[in-house]
Amino acid sequence: MINNFEEYLTLENIFLFSNWGVIPFWLLLLFSPNSTLTRFLVHSVIIPLILGIAYIFVVYQIYLNDNFLDGFGLYLGIENLYENTSTNFIHYLTASLRAKEIYKKDVDYIVSDGQVKIVDEFTGRVLEGRRYSDGLHQAIEAKENVSIQSENVTFASVTFQNYFRLYEKLAGMTGTALTEAEEFSEIYNLGVIEIPTNKQVIRVDEDDQVFRTSKEKYSAVVGQIKKAHKKNQPVLVGTTSIEKSELLSDLLKKSGIKHNVLNARQHEQEAYIVANAGKFSAVTIATNMAGRGTDIQLGGNLEMEVLEALEKKPKSKPDQIRKTIEEKHSKEKDQVLEAGGLFVLASERHESRRIDNQLRGRSGRQGDPGKTCFFLSLEDDLMRIFGSERLDKVLSTLGMEEGEAIIHPWVNKSLERAQSKVEARNFDIRKQLLKFDDVMNDQRIAIFEQRLDIMRADDQTEIIDDMRNDVIDDLINIHIPPKSYPDQWDLDGLKGALRDGMNLDLPVKDWADEEGVDDELLTQRIEDAANSMMAEKTKAFGKEAMQQVEKQLLLQTIDTKWREHLITLEHLRSVVGFRGYAQRDPLNEYKNEAFQLFERLLNGLRYDVTKQLSMVRPLTDEERKAMVAKFLDEQKKLQVAPNIENTKTTKSNSKLPLGAKTPPEQMPTGWQSTGRNEICPCGSGKKFKHCHGRL
C-alpha cells in the first residue's frame, strides 16, 4: 500500500492537486458565499495550510531538480528556449501561432480539393500553385487537417524590373501609364504617349466626400447605394481589401439590398459576376483590382448570355436565341442608360492614383454615361498619413455635425498631392530594391551561365581539372604560406587535408625533406598524384560513365550551393539596413558582403565537387551481390506488410498508463543506458529521469 502511495506521490500529481484542489472552494464562494460550509472553509486554517505545503513541496522539488520547465510538467523536451538547439522549436511555434490567429479561412486562404490555396488580398483571386514560405503554409495545412506538403525550394528569383529588362525591346498599352511615366523612363528607358479616347467621355466625376469617422462614411455609402438602387441604376462598389468588402456586404444585408461580392468563395464566378455588374439594378462589391480583364457592359454581357443560353438548350437554333437575347439586351441597356449608366462608388482612396483611375475607368466606356464618386473618412490609411487627427480636432471645434461631409475641389487636389508623395516614396523604395537586386542579378548571371555551359558540354574534364588544381593551390597556401621558411610549414595539416578532402595519402613530409624541393615542386607532385588517381577512376568507370558522374555531381552541387546562397543573401538583406545607424551605406555594405559570400560559394563548390569525385568508385562484385540481396529482402518485407497493423495494435495495447512502472527484470536489454531526457523504454510515457532513471 505504501509503495502504491509513493508511486502516485510524484511532482506532477502534487502540482495538479494544488492547482485543481482550490476550484471547489472558488465555486462555493461564487454560488454559495453565505452558506455555513463556505464560512467554515474560509475561516479554517487547514485548507490553506495543506495547499501551502503542496506548493512549497513543488517549488522545493523544482529547485532540487534544477529544471523549472520539467517541474511544471511541460513535456516539450526543451529545457531552455534560448539555447541554440531550441531555435527550430521557436520557429515552429511562431509559424503555428501566425497560422492560428492571423490567417483566416475564406479570407486569406481557402481549402479546396484537400489543399490550402492562397487568396490574393487585393483581387480576391485564388493563386494556384502559390505557397507561403518559412513553414507557414505547412502550419496552416496542419491547422486545417489536410495533407502537409513539402516546402517550396527557390532555385532562382528575379524582380519584375530585372525580368522586363532582359528584353531588348519593350512596348505596351494601358490607360493608366501617365502617372508612372517617370518610373518607365528611369528604369526601362520607355517614353509614355497619351492617346485620346475614340469617343468623348461624358462620365460625371463627382468631388470626393470626406467624413470624420469610418462609421459615418459607410452609412453614407449605404445611403448612396440605396438611392441609386431605388432608380435601378447599376452600382459597382470599390474597396481596398477583401476585409472591407465583407464589411460592406454585411451592411447591405442588414439593409435588405441584394448584391454580389467578389471574394475567394466566389472566385470561379468572377467573370460572370463582373459581366452582370452593368445590368439593371445590379449591385456589385469588389476590390479595386478585382475583375480585371472583363469589360462591364451596360445591360449585361451579350456574348456571355448567348453562350449560357446555348449551353442550357444545345438543340435549339443559335440564330433565333441570339435574336431573342439581343432584343432583351437592347431594352435593358436603354433602361440602364435612362437610369444614368454605371455608378462607380469607391469606399476609399488608394495610395496610387493609377488604381483609382482604373476604378473610375470602369464607368463611362465607349461614350456611355456614368458617374463616379469617392467616399473617404479621416480614419482611412491614406488620410492618417497626413495628420488627419489635427484636422479632426479643427472640424470638431468648428462644430461639424455627424454625417456631414466635406466636399470641395481643393480636397481632391490635396488628396492627389498626397498620393503623388506616396507614389514617389514607393518609387524610391522600388529603385532601392532594384539596386540591391542588381547585385544578386550579376551573381545569378554568372552562376547560371556556368550551369548552362556544364549542361551543354559533353566533357567536363577541363572544368573538373581546374577546380581540383584550385583546391590544391588553396590547401598549399593555407598550410605552406607564401614566402615562408620550411620550418614554418604545416606538413601534418597538409597531409590530413589531402587525405580528408581529396582521398590522397601522400608522403608530403618525405618530399619536403628532399634537397631542392620547394612549394612549387610540392604542388606539382600533389597535382600529378591527383591526376593519376582520377585517370584510374576514369579507366575503372569507363569514359562515358565518368562524364555522366561528373556532370551530375557538378549540377547537384551548384544547385545546393546556390539555394543556400539565396537564403543567406535574403537574411543579409533583411538586416543590412541597420548598418545605417553606424553611418555606413547599407547598399555598399551589401555589395561587399554579397561578394564575399559569392567567393565563399565558389570555393565551397570547388572543394565539394573535388571531394565527392575523389570518393566515388565503382562497386565491387561483392557489393553488387549485397545490394541485390538487400533489395530482395525488402521485397519480402513488403509482402508481409498486412501484418503490420496487428503488430501496431499489440504494441499500443502493451503501453502502460502514465505513472505505472515495469519491474527492472522485465525491461528491455540496455535500458540502463537511456538518456535522462529521453522517453523511458518501459512504455509509461514519462522521461527516463522521472521513471526508471530514479532507481
Side-chain angles (χ1 to χ4, degrees):
M1 189 71 182
I2 294 172
N3 290 336
N4 290 336
F5 180 72
E6 288 178 352
E7 287 180 9
Y8 289 101
L9 194 64
T10 61
L11 186 64
E12 290 84 358
N13 290 337
I14 294 172
F15 182 73
L16 288 171
F17 166 75
S18 57
N19 276 278
W20 289 96
V22 297
I23 291 178
F25 307 108
W26 284 113
L27 292 173
L28 282 171
L29 286 169
L30 283 170
F31 297 106
S32 184
N34 298 318
S35 67
T36 307
L37 179 62
T38 307
R39 291 175 182 272
F40 170 75
L41 292 172
V42 168
H43 293 94
S44 175
V45 187
I46 299 170
I47 303 300
L49 185 65
I50 294 171
L51 292 174
I53 293 169
Y55 274 114
I56 291 168
F57 178 79
V58 170
V59 173
Y60 180 68
Q61 287 294 320
I62 293 169
Y63 176 76
L64 285 180
N65 290 343
D66 195 26
N67 194 334
F68 186 81
L69 293 177
D70 284 344
F72 278 90
L74 187 60
Y75 296 102
L76 297 174
I78 297 174
E79 298 183 1
N80 188 352
L81 287 173
Y82 301 98
E83 289 181 351
N84 292 332
T85 54
S86 304
T87 305
N88 287 338
F89 173 76
I90 296 294
H91 175 73
Y92 299 147
L93 183 62
T94 305
S96 301
L97 287 171
R98 289 172 65 197
K100 183 179 180 297
E101 299 297 335
I102 299 176
Y103 290 82
K104 306 297 182 184
K105 187 178 178 181
D106 293 331
V107 178
D108 302 297
Y109 64 90
I110 63 169
V111 179
S112 176
D113 301 327
Q115 293 182 341
V116 173
K117 298 180 180 181
I118 301 173
V119 175
D120 190 281
E121 181 185 358
F122 302 106
T123 64
R125 293 177 179 174
V126 177
L127 305 176
E128 296 285 350
R130 298 280 295 276
R131 293 175 63 84
Y132 294 116
S133 60
D134 213 24
L136 177 61
H137 210 98
Q138 283 77 7
I140 296 173
E141 287 170 336
K143 169 189 171 184
E144 299 297 339
N145 199 25
V146 299
S147 178
I148 297 174
Q149 307 295 325
S150 302
E151 182 82 16
N152 283 354
V153 179
T154 304
F155 284 92
S157 63
V158 63
T159 58
F160 283 119
Q161 289 96 328
N162 269 324
Y163 174 75
F164 287 116
R165 290 202 300 182
L166 293 172
Y167 293 91
E168 294 181 1
K169 292 183 180 179
L170 284 174
M173 185 168 59
T174 176
T176 54
L178 199 62
T179 56
E180 312 294 334
E182 185 184 351
E183 184 167 353
F184 282 124
S185 175
E186 192 163 335
I187 294 178
Y188 308 110
N189 198 26
L190 278 174
V192 176
I193 301 172
E194 189 175 10
I195 301 173
T197 56
N198 68 320
K199 292 184 181 180
Q200 188 180 355
V201 178
I202 60 173
R203 181 187 67 232
V204 179
D205 296 330
E206 294 186 350
D207 295 328
D208 297 353
Q209 299 188 26
V210 184
F211 297 84
R212 281 183 57 197
T213 63
S214 296
K215 186 181 177 182
E216 294 175 36
K217 178 186 73 174
Y218 287 121
S219 297
V221 167
V222 173
Q224 195 70 29
I225 294 171
K226 282 182 179 178
K227 193 184 292 182
H229 191 65
K230 201 171 183 179
K231 62 178 184 178
N232 297 315
Q233 185 179 14
V235 182
L236 175 66
V237 186
T239 64
T240 55
S241 67
I242 297 171
E243 185 182 358
K244 290 174 182 175
S245 294
E246 294 292 338
L247 174 63
L248 267 170
S249 177
D250 292 338
L251 292 173
L252 291 181
K253 283 177 184 175
K254 290 177 182 177
S255 302
I257 299 174
K258 190 178 177 182
H259 62 281
N260 287 316
V261 187
L262 271 181
N263 53 26
R265 291 187 294 273
Q266 294 182 319
H267 164 70
E268 296 176 355
Q269 298 179 341
E270 178 181 326
Y272 177 77
I273 292 172
V274 174
N276 291 324
K279 279 199 165 191
F280 196 59
S281 76
V283 178
T284 309
I285 302 174
T287 59
N288 296 345
M289 300 294 291
R292 298 296 169 85
T294 306
D295 228 7
I296 299 177
Q297 299 179 15
L298 300 185
N301 192 305
L302 177 64
E303 298 299 328
M304 192 170 286
E305 287 183 26
V306 171
L307 289 172
E308 191 178 347
L310 288 172
E311 285 180 5
K312 290 179 180 178
K313 299 178 180 179
K315 295 182 179 180
S316 55
K317 296 179 179 179
D319 294 338
Q320 191 175 351
I321 289 178
R322 174 175 280 276
K323 188 178 179 181
T324 306
I325 293 174
E326 281 179 350
E327 290 175 0
K328 181 185 173 185
H329 181 268
S330 179
K331 289 179 183 177
E332 191 164 350
K333 186 177 180 179
D334 292 338
Q335 289 177 325
V336 173
L337 290 171
E338 192 177 341
L342 180 65
F343 179 24
V344 172
L345 194 156
S347 64
E348 196 170 334
R349 279 273 189 181
H350 198 273
E351 63 183 26
S352 173
R353 287 172 296 168
R354 175 177 59 86
I355 304 297
D356 289 343
N357 292 339
Q358 285 176 340
L359 182 61
R360 269 196 163 133
R362 310 212 71 168
S363 176
R365 302 177 73 88
Q366 300 295 322
D368 289 333
K371 186 171 75 171
T372 65
C373 186
F374 282 79
F375 284 68
L376 317 175
S377 80
L378 299 180
E379 296 176 354
D380 292 347
D381 294 336
L382 185 66
M383 302 292 286
R384 285 191 291 107
I385 294 173
F386 297 95
S388 60
E389 295 87 359
R390 294 193 299 271
L391 182 59
D392 187 28
K393 289 179 182 177
V394 172
L395 294 175
S396 300
T397 307
L398 294 172
M400 186 175 177
E401 297 180 1
E402 187 177 347
E404 190 177 353
I406 302 172
I407 306 172
H408 201 278
W410 289 0
V411 175
N412 300 0
K413 291 178 182 178
S414 299
L415 284 168
E416 286 181 3
R417 284 196 295 269
Q419 286 175 315
S420 61
K421 288 180 182 178
V422 175
E423 286 171 357
R425 179 181 173 274
N426 292 338
F427 177 42
D428 289 338
I429 292 171
R430 286 195 293 273
K431 277 201 301 185
Q432 193 71 4
L433 174 69
L434 188 62
K435 290 176 183 177
F436 277 89
D437 191 65
D438 283 339
V439 177
M440 189 190 291
N441 196 49
D442 294 337
Q443 298 180 5
R444 183 189 301 112
I445 291 169
I447 206 78
F448 276 90
E449 280 182 354
Q450 178 94 29
R451 198 177 189 279
L452 284 171
D453 291 340
I454 293 169
M455 290 178 69
R456 289 167 181 161
D458 294 326
D459 191 1
Q460 316 295 330
T461 306
E462 187 177 347
I463 297 172
I464 297 294
D465 290 346
D466 289 341
M467 285 184 172
R468 186 169 59 253
N469 293 335
D470 287 341
V471 170
I472 293 171
D473 290 339
D474 291 340
L475 292 176
I476 292 291
N477 289 331
I478 293 169
H479 298 94
I480 305 178
K483 299 180 181 179
S484 62
Y485 295 102
D487 57 349
Q488 296 175 314
W489 293 0
D490 183 13
L491 297 173
D492 291 331
L494 178 60
K495 184 176 181 178
L498 290 171
R499 184 178 59 250
D500 297 337
M502 301 185 69
N503 199 23
L504 289 173
D505 192 7
L506 302 176
V508 289
K509 228 173 184 179
D510 297 338
W511 291 348
D513 292 338
E514 294 178 12
E515 189 73 27
V517 175
D518 57 2
D519 55 343
E520 291 183 5
L521 186 57
L522 200 62
T523 303
Q524 187 61 47
R525 288 185 178 182
I526 295 171
E527 287 179 359
D528 292 340
N531 293 336
S532 177
M533 179 187 68
M534 292 306 298
E536 291 176 5
K537 287 182 184 290
T538 304
K539 188 177 179 182
F541 276 103
K543 190 175 180 180
E544 291 184 3
M546 192 63 188
Q547 287 175 355
Q548 289 298 318
V549 170
E550 289 173 347
K551 180 180 280 191
Q552 289 298 322
L553 272 174
L554 273 169
L555 293 175
Q556 287 175 11
T557 310
I558 286 173
D559 292 342
T560 303
K561 290 289 182 184
W562 181 245
R563 287 200 302 270
E564 294 172 357
H565 184 66
L566 284 177
I567 294 168
T568 308
L569 283 181
E570 188 178 339
H571 292 164
L572 172 64
R573 193 160 158 182
S574 63
V575 299
V576 77
F578 293 113
R579 305 285 177 89
Y581 292 114
Q583 305 302 314
R584 298 181 191 172
D585 185 8
L587 181 60
N588 289 333
E589 293 289 309
Y590 181 76
K591 285 180 180 178
N592 294 332
E593 295 206 21
F595 180 72
Q596 293 173 15
L597 288 170
F598 191 66
E599 281 192 327
R600 194 186 304 172
L601 178 150
L602 296 177
N603 293 332
L605 175 65
R606 288 193 290 265
Y607 184 81
D608 287 357
V609 169
T610 302
K611 183 179 180 179
Q612 291 178 49
L613 282 174
S614 65
M615 298 297 178
V616 297
R617 59 176 179 81
L619 294 173
T620 61
D621 292 336
E622 290 78 9
E623 288 171 335
R624 287 196 189 94
K625 289 178 182 177
M627 286 183 66
V628 172
K630 186 180 179 182
F631 175 75
L632 293 173
D633 187 50
E634 288 177 353
Q635 291 294 317
K636 288 179 182 178
K637 288 179 180 178
L638 290 172
Q639 291 176 2
V640 296
N643 298 325
I644 292 175
E645 292 296 328
N646 296 332
T647 308
K648 286 182 178 178
T649 306
T650 307
K651 285 184 178 180
S652 62
N653 293 335
S654 66
K655 284 189 177 181
L656 298 173
L658 193 65
K661 284 187 178 180
T662 304
E665 58 271 11
Q666 297 181 11
M667 292 288 288
T669 307
W671 66 272
Q672 296 92 343
S673 60
T674 307
R676 292 183 72 250
N677 288 313
E678 294 179 10
I679 301 297
C680 188
C682 71
S684 65
K686 289 184 172 184
K687 287 186 178 181
F688 183 69
K689 63 184 177 184
H690 295 317
C691 194
H692 283 78
R694 287 181 173 178
L695 296 175

